[in-house]
Amino acid sequence: MAGIPLSDDYPVRRTPVVTYTLIAVNVAVYLLSPMSLLAVWYGDPAARGCAVEGYLLRWAAFPAELLSGARLSAEQVASFTACPVAPAAIWPGLSAVTSMFLHADAWHLVGNMVYLFVFGPCVEDRLGRLRYPLIYLGTGVAACYGFALAEGAAVVPMVGASGAISGVLGAYLVVQFRSRVTTLLLGVLPVRLPGWMLVATFFALDYLLYLGSSLYPQDGQQQGVAYAAHVYGFLTGLVVGLLVYRVRWGAGARLSDVH
């Protein structure tokens, strides 16, 4: 996007501990992964190819696994890497959760965490500390399976919190679209924009890129961005946000009528 969100003007009523915890976990997992330059126990960063591929086979989400419900076969592993590594013997559906805490590089991590830091506290405050992490994880899983359906039975690793954060943005559009967000436009000019405008632009751009990657799949693979996950995560967050927020609001209204 052309703008980088800096802050939201919604005054949260309590410390957003769930959002901060999610950010801390994402950062910690990245720093301990072979993708981090600080993880010196993996050896020379220039010679970590096999370590990275083994790590991805263990923790990333692969469409072929999600759609079949089975771990990659030896032939599929060989098509992904020539290194002597094998996927972990875990349920493939679990990788839809573990993959959302992995990031390819520091910029990937920072970009996702900025959006979570700005928009997460509001959604956590409006939906509650119990519902919020369930929505975060649920939309992240839905984004993974949406990506798998879009890609087919491909042996392509998916990593990153983008799908879950897209779900948070979808919920944000429901619970606090009136907020104004201070945004660094073109990386240099701070402006205050309506929250709904920023979030809707995010979705529209990702949707167009998703359509483009569907029409020209080779270009999408070269970019290495799972636009399908962004789109499905956002739509899931929007729907779940409507359901949860409407139910909560309706219950509050009935309680007021009784008193």
Side-chain angles (χ1 to χ4, degrees):
M1 292 184 65
I4 302 173
L6 299 178
S7 65
D8 170 85
D9 68 358
Y10 175 78
V12 294
R13 295 166 294 181
R14 52 189 177 179
T15 303
V17 293
V18 177
T19 296
Y20 292 165
T21 299
L22 288 171
I23 292 173
V25 171
N26 275 279
V27 171
V29 169
Y30 174 74
L31 293 178
L32 294 173
S33 76
M35 283 78 95
S36 168
L37 296 178
L38 298 180
V40 295
W41 49 88
Y42 285 102
D44 184 356
R48 291 187 188 175
C50 287
V52 170
E53 290 173 354
Y55 189 83
L56 293 175
L57 281 169
R58 185 176 182 87
W59 303 114
F62 288 82
E65 292 185 339
L66 296 179
L67 295 180
S68 68
R71 299 300 297 184
L72 297 177
S73 66
E75 292 77 12
Q76 290 173 316
V77 171
S79 71
F80 174 69
T81 177
C83 298
V85 295
I90 61 172
W91 177 51
L94 184 60
S95 66
V97 176
T98 59
S99 66
M100 71 180 74
F101 293 96
L102 311 184
H103 289 84
D105 54 46
W107 287 114
H108 186 201
L109 173 71
V110 171
N112 279 338
M113 294 306 101
V114 165
Y115 272 83
L116 184 56
F117 179 79
V118 172
F119 295 101
C122 173
V123 178
E124 178 180 345
D125 191 67
R126 298 304 294 269
L127 296 183
R129 289 176 175 169
L130 294 179
R131 296 184 182 94
Y132 173 65
L134 295 177
I135 291 173
Y136 180 91
L137 295 174
T139 54
V141 170
C144 272
Y145 277 92
F147 174 74
L149 290 172
E151 288 291 318
V155 186
V156 179
M158 177 185 172
V159 299
S162 303
I165 294 170
S166 295
V168 171
L169 293 180
Y172 178 92
L173 193 59
V174 174
V175 303
Q176 194 57 32
F177 66 92
R178 294 186 180 88
S179 288
R180 300 184 72 83
V181 179
T182 301
T183 306
L184 200 60
L185 198 61
L186 300 176
V188 293
L189 181 65
V191 296
R192 294 185 70 205
L193 298 174
W196 68 265
M197 179 185 296
L198 192 63
V199 172
T201 301
F202 170 90
F203 174 73
L205 180 59
D206 270 348
Y207 182 69
L208 291 175
L209 291 171
Y210 169 45
L211 291 180
S213 64
S214 299
L215 294 174
Y216 305 99
Q218 189 63 37
D219 292 342
Q221 291 173 7
Q222 290 175 356
Q223 292 177 15
V225 180
Y227 296 115
H230 298 182
V231 170
Y232 288 112
F234 184 93
L235 292 176
T236 304
L238 183 67
V239 171
V240 173
L242 281 170
L243 292 175
V244 173
Y245 196 58
R246 286 287 185 179
V247 169
R248 187 181 184 188
W249 182 86
R254 289 191 294 273
L255 184 61
S256 298
D257 291 340
V258 170
H259 290 284

